[in-house]
């Protein structure tokens, strides 16, 4: 270990089954410093954090701790808050082994210990109030306070700002300065490269379980260099597209649309025969735009026209306007898992749109389903139970359900999430066929490569606004990643 290091990890290896999550990763954490850890989904960040915190043992490699770190330990604040909204702030601060006096909880001792920590974080709250009454930002700071009450020498913050407002992020910046001023080493895991440039003194990039950039000083790198480290030096591969966009009024029009806390003056159109992507980091507003088109989110200002029927007030109204919505969470929103394929595939066209009459024959519905499953090359018959199909075939059932409505507008939220490469290619083929058939397609994806493969153009969202558009020869994964992250660093 070097002087000043609180922790030094060397050659960490970890495999799950046949998948190597970490492949010889190194990292060091210094006292009084914020060290950012970044990488794409699946790069190995979570596995590294689990090993450093002691919740998972590595298959190989070593983790060395300075004497101070062995005494104070490591505290982790995870992305998913592990708090109890129905308990008080005090009870959340002391979930384990709270101070007692004569066998009873010593609330006075709890509050005396907590107040200076809360003050240090700028959190002015009554310890006796219910945690659920606090805004999300204060709940996040409460979890950090709980970690600090353990007096750790190393603090791991895993995506701490994924659901915070800009004002709350400013507060967190002050908190980080306070913590590093006390000599605490902070490992800051994030996908917001803006925050790396703003908060961190050093940055490590993981790619495919290996270190692609090791402890670089913040002043020595910029956003494009970080993106290259995350993605690798992949040569740009422009995708030539030859789709015909229909003339006439666009099926999707948003004009100066605002949604409190999510969208601000957003304007765009999607024409018939066009595939338009929306991209941004978590909370950027691109998913809110999809929800507006689908009738799932109300607007506070602006004008929306979907399918020539104005603003849909509900998902049912959107469906009647010709909208199909394929959600990212198929198990929660897209499927009736214990029902047969034919029941799922005809649910919207029959129950919501009434196609086939009040009581269509089962034979007719099964025949319709067979046509759809043939078109989608689904491995399974109309009478198969959906839960027994593979994940990829379940996703095809979701597509079948919406294709049965003969949609004019198709909204896709991460349509190939959790499916293999073969099914992904099938989904992309279907998207192309929908656009070729005259549908207007609007798609969001956490996989930027997917957007470059299927879209004619991609709108880049930052903090609820569209800050740019990538299209034509420039529409490559690298260029899109740079656009998303560079937009974050713009003033204002």
């Amino acid at each position: 270990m070097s002087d000043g290091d609180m922790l030094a990890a060397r050659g960490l290896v970890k495999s799950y089954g046949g998948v190597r999550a970490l492949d010889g990763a190194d990292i060091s954490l210094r006292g009084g410093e914020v060290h950012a850890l970044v990488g794409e989904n699946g790069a190995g960040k979570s596995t590294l954090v689990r090993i450093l915190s002691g919740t998972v043992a590595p298959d190989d490699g070593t983790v060395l701790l300075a004497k101070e770190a062995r005494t104070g330990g490591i505290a982790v604040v995870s992305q998913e808050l592990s708090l109890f909204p129905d308990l008080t702030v005090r009870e959340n601060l002391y979930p384990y082994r709270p101070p007692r006096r004569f066998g009873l909880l010593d609330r006075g001792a709890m509050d005396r210990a907590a107040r200076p920590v809360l003050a240090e974080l700028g959190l002015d709250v009554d310890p006796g109030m219910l945690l659920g009454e606090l805004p999300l930002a204060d709940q996040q700071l409460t979890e950090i306070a709980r970690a600090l009450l353990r007096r750790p020498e190393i603090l791991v913050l895993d995506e701490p700002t994924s659901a915070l407002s800009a004002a709350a992020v400013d507060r967190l910046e002050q908190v980080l300065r306070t913590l590093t001023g006390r000599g605490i080493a902070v490992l800051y895991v994030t996908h917001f490269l803006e925050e790396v440039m703003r908060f961190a003194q050093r940055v490590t990039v993981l790619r495919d379980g290996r270190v692609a950039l090791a402890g670089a000083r913040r002043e020595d790198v910029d956003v494009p260099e970080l993106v290259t480290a995350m993605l690798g030096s992949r040569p740009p591969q422009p995708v030539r597209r030859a789709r015909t966009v229909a003339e006439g009024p666009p099926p999707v029009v948003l004009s100066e649309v605002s949604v409190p806390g999510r969208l601000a003056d957003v304007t765009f159109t999607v024409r018939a025969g066009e595939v338009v992507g929306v991209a941004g980091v978590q909370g950027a507003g691109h998913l809110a735009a999809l929800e507006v088109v689908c009738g799932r989110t109300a607007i506070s200002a602006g004008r929306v026209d979907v399918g020539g029927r104005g603003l849909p007030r509900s998902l049912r109204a959107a469906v009647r306007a010709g909208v199909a919505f394929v959600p990212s969470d198929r198990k929660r929103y897209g499927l009736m898992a214990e029902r047969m394929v034919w029941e799922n595939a005809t649910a919207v066209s029959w129950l919501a749109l009434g196609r086939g009459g009040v009581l269509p024959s089962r034979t007719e519905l099964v025949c319709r389903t067979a046509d759809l499953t043939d078109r989608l090359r689904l491995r399974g018959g109309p009478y198969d139970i959906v839960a027994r199909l593979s994940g990829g075939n379940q996703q095809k059932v979701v597509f079948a359900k919406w294709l049965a409505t003969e949609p004019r507008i198709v909204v896709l939220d991460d349509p190939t999430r959790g499916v293999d490469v073969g099914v992904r290619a099938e989904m992309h083929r279907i998207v192309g066929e929908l656009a070729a058939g005259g549908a207007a397609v609007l798609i969001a994806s956490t996989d930027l490569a997917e957007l470059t493969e299927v879209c004619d153009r991609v709108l880049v969202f930052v903090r609820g606004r569209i800050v740019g558009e990538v299209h034509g020869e420039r529409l490559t994964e690298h260029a899109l990643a740079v656009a998303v992250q560079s937009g974050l660093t713009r003033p204002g």
Side-chain angles (χ1 to χ4, degrees):
M1 293 176 63
S2 302
D3 290 343
D5 282 353
M6 286 289 181
L7 176 150
R10 297 289 181 265
L12 296 182
V13 175
K14 184 65 181 179
S15 297
Y16 295 96
V19 178
R20 179 156 287 196
L22 284 180
D23 190 7
D26 301 340
I27 194 168
S28 62
L29 305 178
R30 298 172 185 166
E33 181 180 79
V34 176
H35 191 136
L37 178 65
V38 299
E40 290 188 287
N41 291 337
K45 302 189 300 297
S46 296
T47 300
L48 179 59
V49 167
R50 293 188 190 105
I51 290 175
L52 298 184
S53 63
T55 58
V56 169
D59 299 332
D60 198 1
T62 59
V63 178
L64 302 176
L65 294 174
K67 180 179 178 181
E68 302 94 321
R70 289 196 298 271
T71 302
I74 300 173
V76 179
V77 177
S78 62
Q79 180 178 5
E80 301 296 331
L81 298 183
S82 55
L83 299 171
F84 306 95
D86 295 329
L87 298 181
T88 65
V89 171
R90 180 189 300 116
E91 290 166 327
N92 275 278
L93 291 174
Y94 296 92
Y96 311 110
R97 299 179 183 176
R100 293 182 179 273
R101 187 179 185 189
F102 306 120
L104 301 175
L105 289 178
D106 190 343
R107 292 183 174 83
M110 294 164 73
D111 291 352
R112 284 193 296 275
R115 282 196 182 100
V117 175
L118 295 175
E120 193 171 44
L121 298 177
L123 192 55
D124 184 15
V125 298
D126 178 1
M129 72 183 298
L130 289 178
L131 182 89
E133 296 176 358
L134 297 180
L136 181 59
D138 286 350
Q139 292 185 35
Q140 180 83 65
L141 290 175
T142 300
E143 180 138 23
I144 295 174
R146 183 171 71 182
L148 293 178
L149 281 168
R150 294 170 46 193
R151 299 187 179 279
E153 292 296 330
I154 299 172
L155 179 65
V156 179
L157 298 178
D158 189 0
E159 302 286 3
T161 64
S162 58
L164 297 187
S165 66
V169 173
D170 290 340
R171 288 178 62 190
L172 180 61
E173 182 176 18
Q174 296 301 318
V175 169
L176 290 172
R177 289 177 180 171
T178 300
L179 298 179
T180 53
R182 285 172 42 191
I184 292 176
V186 178
L187 179 61
Y188 194 93
V189 186
T190 184
H191 61 268
F192 293 94
L193 297 187
E194 171 204 27
E195 294 173 7
V196 173
M197 307 306 292
R198 179 177 173 183
F199 299 154
Q201 283 73 55
R202 289 192 296 152
V203 54
T204 289
V205 178
L206 287 181
R207 184 174 73 247
D208 299 329
R210 299 179 180 180
V211 174
L213 186 67
R217 296 190 307 169
R218 176 188 59 192
E219 57 267 29
D220 293 337
V221 295
D222 57 20
V223 169
E225 289 172 328
L226 292 177
V227 171
T228 297
M230 290 168 61
L231 300 179
S233 54
R234 305 173 189 171
Q237 296 292 334
V239 179
R240 303 292 198 279
R241 300 170 182 83
R243 276 193 280 266
T244 301
V245 177
E247 298 294 334
V252 177
V253 177
L254 274 70
S255 179
E256 299 181 346
V257 169
S258 294
V259 174
R262 303 186 70 189
L263 294 176
D265 298 323
V266 167
T267 297
F268 68 87
T269 63
V270 185
R271 296 189 174 277
E274 184 179 35
V275 181
V276 175
V278 291
V281 297
Q282 187 171 345
H286 54 306
L287 299 183
L290 299 191
E291 293 175 5
V292 168
V293 174
C294 293
R296 301 180 67 196
T297 293
I299 68 173
S300 59
R303 181 177 68 87
V304 177
D305 185 31
V306 174
R309 297 193 179 190
L311 172 67
R313 303 291 180 178
S314 66
L315 181 56
R316 181 181 291 270
V319 171
R320 289 175 176 167
V323 176
F325 172 57
V326 177
S328 59
D329 190 342
R330 60 176 175 268
K331 292 184 178 179
R332 185 175 180 186
Y333 298 113
L335 294 171
M336 298 178 288
E338 299 306 320
R339 298 280 189 173
M340 297 180 192
V341 171
W342 75 264
E343 294 174 289
N344 278 271
T346 59
V348 179
S349 61
W350 170 33
L351 296 177
L353 299 178
R355 293 178 182 171
V358 178
L359 290 173
S361 73
R362 178 170 175 169
T363 301
E364 180 183 354
L365 296 178
V366 169
C367 287
R368 291 184 192 174
T369 300
D371 291 340
L372 289 168
T373 57
D374 287 345
R375 177 181 173 187
L376 296 172
R377 302 172 189 171
L378 185 143
R379 293 186 179 180
Y383 293 105
D384 285 341
I385 300 298
V386 168
R388 298 173 187 170
L389 300 177
S390 68
N393 283 296
Q394 288 182 13
Q395 187 71 341
K396 288 185 179 182
V397 174
V398 177
F399 267 78
K401 178 176 72 173
W402 289 106
L403 289 178
T405 68
E406 299 177 352
R408 298 172 53 207
I409 300 159
V410 181
V411 179
L412 306 170
D413 180 7
D414 242 349
T416 63
R417 179 182 180 184
V419 303
D420 62 35
V421 175
V423 174
R424 171 190 167 106
E426 289 290 322
M427 298 297 101
H428 291 178
R429 175 183 63 82
I430 295 165
V431 170
E433 289 179 356
L434 288 167
V441 182
L442 186 61
I443 177 174
S445 178
T446 52
D447 183 351
L448 297 184
E450 176 167 60
L451 295 179
T452 67
E453 290 168 19
V454 303
C455 295
D456 299 299
R457 55 192 177 95
V458 178
L459 307 175
V460 178
F461 282 69
V462 172
R463 299 190 185 94
R465 299 178 182 273
I466 295 176
V467 298
E469 177 181 306
V470 186
H471 60 273
E473 297 295 316
R474 289 192 59 247
L475 186 49
T476 65
E477 182 183 4
H478 191 279
L480 186 54
V482 169
V484 168
Q485 295 292 348
S486 296
L488 287 167
T489 63
R490 296 175 183 175

